[in-house]
Amino acid sequence: MILLGVILLVIGLVAGIAILWTIGLVLAVIGIVLWILGSMGHAVAGRKHYW
């Protein structure tokens, strides 16, 4: 999810499409939050680890 968010951020920035940039930012932030929660040992969406 983080990788997809970064790809959309780059495409949105290069192409000048604001909606892709916004979606990429949201996906990257959600991916980072899930990664941190999973690495801390919290169950995320029924999974012990999220990666």
Side-chain angles (χ1 to χ4, degrees), residues 6-45:
V6 170
I7 290 171
L8 287 176
L9 273 170
V10 171
I11 292 172
L13 185 64
V14 170
I17 302 172
I19 190 71
L20 285 181
W21 194 85
T22 305
I23 292 171
L25 183 66
V26 169
L27 285 178
V29 169
I30 290 172
I32 290 169
V33 168
L34 290 175
W35 181 30
I36 291 171
L37 285 175
S39 68
M40 290 175 56
H42 295 282
V44 177

